[in-house]
Amino acid sequence: MVEVLLEVLPLFFLVTLGFLFKSKFTYSDICIKYLTRFVMYVALPAVLLEKLGTTKINELIEFSFLFSYLISFFIVMLISVLFIYFVFSKDIKFSVMLGLGGVYGNIGFLAIPVLSLSLGEWVSVPLALMLTLDLLILLPVSTFLLKFNSNTEKSNMTLLKTLSRSFLNPLILSIVVAFILSIFQMTLPSNIIDGLSFLGSAAGPCAMFIVGTAIYGRKISSKPIAAAYISTVKLIVMPLVVYIFMNLLSVKSEWIIAATLGAAMPCAAVLSVIAEEHKTIPQQVSAAVLVTTIFSVFTVPFLIFIFS
């Protein structure tokens, strides 16, 4: 356990470094903005294109894996939404936001760098597939439900429009290009692969640094029940459900480990942006991002140790 913790600790140290940077430099917002764009538009797409583009198509189209993860986050989110709606609040936006918080993890900025270091570069492939489902299905559907229940935005919002925005995400575009390369068995020139590898090497450190800046300023809400609920579902329930369904559908063991660990990642910081945009429990969501990130320093290494 200690060895695993020491192995991933340098990455979590970068989170602390990002936190301290944001706290000490008031002019850091513009720097973080462009660093985030670099990771989202260049470094992470380079990682995914390199790893997926050099993977055989039969390894990418793992229907049992994709269906297991898809049904896992839909079941967890559906039960959460119904439970919150009928037991605590009749507000559908409140229920959807709590449901989304319990299943949408930080795969791009946290899972890929941390698990690639601890498990190996192969883990980028299953994580990329999980990220694809998150960006193409989970977020568009959730955003549509949140906007559909807003009277001011209902007339201007369609699920098709939300999906079209998702498809323009550079991460999705890189995955699409990688699939095309795999389908037609095309191999990129070695110098391009080397360039992608060089760019991709910056993704991990930069992403962890950004996570640190993202949690700065967040506080535990004076009404922490919602944050505690999201944190419990995200760190315990979601990975457990993913593990169960992956085993039920006989997914290969290595990918079960990758998926379970990916599902155990803390809440994505973008959840706070979504909550703020839709004016739905932004403080509690921000608190959940903070709490799950802090606890993941211990829970993720513990799960890695268990699986190893």
Side-chain angles (χ1 to χ4, degrees):
M1 174 63 184
V2 175
E3 292 180 0
V4 176
L5 185 61
L6 291 175
E7 189 176 37
V8 301
L9 208 55
L11 284 179
F12 282 104
F13 172 75
L14 288 173
V15 175
T16 305
L17 199 62
F19 182 92
L20 294 174
F21 179 86
K22 186 70 180 288
S23 66
K24 296 298 181 182
F25 299 102
T26 56
Y27 57 83
S28 62
D29 286 350
I30 190 66
C31 304
I32 301 304
K33 174 183 176 181
Y34 286 106
L35 183 61
T36 302
R37 288 183 177 180
F38 167 74
V39 174
M40 286 292 295
Y41 297 164
V42 181
L44 273 177
V47 171
L48 299 180
L49 183 56
E50 181 206 356
K51 302 304 177 188
L52 299 182
T54 54
T55 303
K56 294 180 180 179
I57 189 62
N58 63 319
E59 295 182 27
L60 293 179
I61 306 179
E62 284 280 346
F63 289 109
S64 59
F65 176 84
L66 294 171
F67 182 73
S68 299
Y69 182 62
L70 184 67
I71 198 68
S72 295
F73 70 62
F74 265 132
I75 285 179
V76 173
M77 185 170 179
L78 180 61
I79 292 176
S80 286
V81 170
L82 294 176
F83 176 74
I84 295 298
Y85 183 81
F86 287 108
V87 176
F88 290 101
S89 172
K90 297 295 183 180
D91 186 344
I92 188 64
K93 289 180 67 175
F94 176 81
S95 304
V96 169
M97 183 55 67
L98 260 68
L100 177 62
V103 298
Y104 185 46
N106 201 338
I107 291 179
F109 280 67
L110 210 57
I112 291 177
V114 170
L115 300 183
S116 293
L117 176 67
S118 56
L119 299 181
E121 294 294 332
W122 64 269
V123 80
S124 298
V125 176
L127 291 177
L129 296 178
M130 294 170 66
L131 182 61
T132 302
L133 292 180
D134 283 348
L135 295 177
L136 285 184
I137 299 178
L138 178 61
L139 276 188
V141 170
S142 301
T143 303
F144 173 73
L145 291 174
L146 289 168
K147 286 183 176 290
F148 186 76
N149 285 277
S150 174
N151 293 328
T152 58
E153 296 174 330
K154 187 183 296 186
S155 60
N156 297 322
M157 191 61 204
T158 65
L159 184 58
L160 184 61
K161 185 183 294 185
T162 310
L163 283 170
S164 66
R165 291 177 182 174
S166 299
F167 272 111
L168 295 177
N169 188 306
L171 294 172
I172 294 298
L173 291 176
S174 67
I175 292 171
V176 170
V177 172
F179 265 87
I180 293 173
L181 292 173
S182 296
I183 290 171
F184 291 100
Q185 298 182 346
M186 299 170 63
T187 304
L188 292 172
S190 59
N191 57 335
I192 293 181
I193 293 177
D194 291 341
L196 291 173
S197 179
F198 179 70
L199 283 172
S201 64
C206 291
M208 301 297 287
F209 185 86
I210 292 169
V211 169
T213 64
I215 63 175
Y216 174 75
R218 305 185 192 278
K219 299 178 180 179
I220 304 300
S221 172
S222 57
K223 298 179 180 180
I225 296 178
Y229 178 85
I230 292 174
S231 302
T232 302
V233 174
K234 185 69 203 71
L235 294 180
I236 299 174
V237 178
M238 182 60 182
L240 180 61
V241 172
V242 168
Y243 180 79
I244 291 172
F245 274 102
M246 291 277 173
N247 277 283
L248 286 176
L249 294 177
S250 301
V251 177
K252 53 187 177 183
S253 59
E254 294 86 355
W255 282 38
I256 292 177
I257 294 173
T260 305
L261 291 170
M265 288 294 149
C267 298
V270 73
L271 281 171
S272 299
V273 178
I274 296 173
E276 192 68 47
E277 179 183 350
H278 298 285
K279 298 178 176 59
T280 308
I281 56 168
Q283 292 183 344
Q284 290 91 332
V285 171
S286 293
V289 172
L290 176 61
V291 170
T292 54
T293 301
I294 292 173
F295 275 95
S296 68
V297 177
F298 306 100
T299 58
V300 171
F302 176 73
L303 286 175
I304 293 173
F305 171 75
I306 293 296
F307 282 121
S308 64

